[in-house]
Amino acid sequence: MGPQKPQASAVSKVQSIDHILTQQRQALHNQGLADDLRLKRKYGNWAIGLLAAQLLVMNTVFIGVGLKCLEFSEYALHLYLGGTLLEVFGIVLVVTRYLFKSPTPVPRGDSG
């Protein structure tokens, strides 16, 4: 006796299960992308708010020094303003590199 051919119903069941698993994998991938997008928006809104607050404080100090309401040594003022600007630019650089990186491909079920 030679090898038996698989029954059509068994092959059909396997194909049906494979199709269902592929759909579930795609749904999980899409859910992961949606969750990632929500998290990015949340952190983005917080980061923008904190950066705006920091720049508002920096500008208030700058204006206060200009109006002679506040006094700082020239070295301390330059260090503060320069450090704040570098921090803001650094955060913007990191955020834009993270947000605009190339997307990851959709995972496939087959191994080859």
Side-chain angles (χ1 to χ4, degrees):
M1 285 201 157
Q4 295 180 344
K5 290 185 178 180
Q7 295 178 346
S9 64
V11 171
S12 175
K13 286 180 184 178
V14 169
Q15 288 174 341
S16 175
I17 291 171
D18 186 48
H19 180 68
I20 291 170
L21 290 175
T22 301
Q23 286 179 333
Q24 288 177 345
R25 187 180 309 108
Q26 183 63 42
L28 286 173
H29 180 73
N30 291 345
Q31 182 63 41
L33 291 176
D35 290 343
D36 190 42
L37 184 60
R38 275 193 295 277
L39 186 63
K40 285 179 182 180
R41 281 187 183 143
K42 181 179 177 180
Y43 279 111
N45 289 336
W46 274 100
I48 288 172
L50 291 173
L51 288 174
Q54 187 172 11
L55 288 174
L56 181 66
V57 169
M58 184 189 77
N59 286 334
T60 303
V61 168
F62 185 69
I63 291 170
V65 169
L67 295 174
K68 306 281 189 217
C69 296
L70 298 171
E71 285 190 34
F72 294 100
S73 71
E74 185 177 336
Y75 175 75
L77 187 62
H78 284 209
L79 190 63
Y80 172 69
L81 295 175
T84 302
L85 287 176
L86 283 175
E87 182 181 350
V88 168
F89 291 145
I91 290 172
V92 168
L93 178 66
V94 168
V95 168
T96 53
R97 281 190 177 174
Y98 177 72
L99 290 178
F100 298 107
K101 66 181 177 183
S102 62
T104 57
V106 175
R108 296 188 56 186
D110 55 49
S111 60

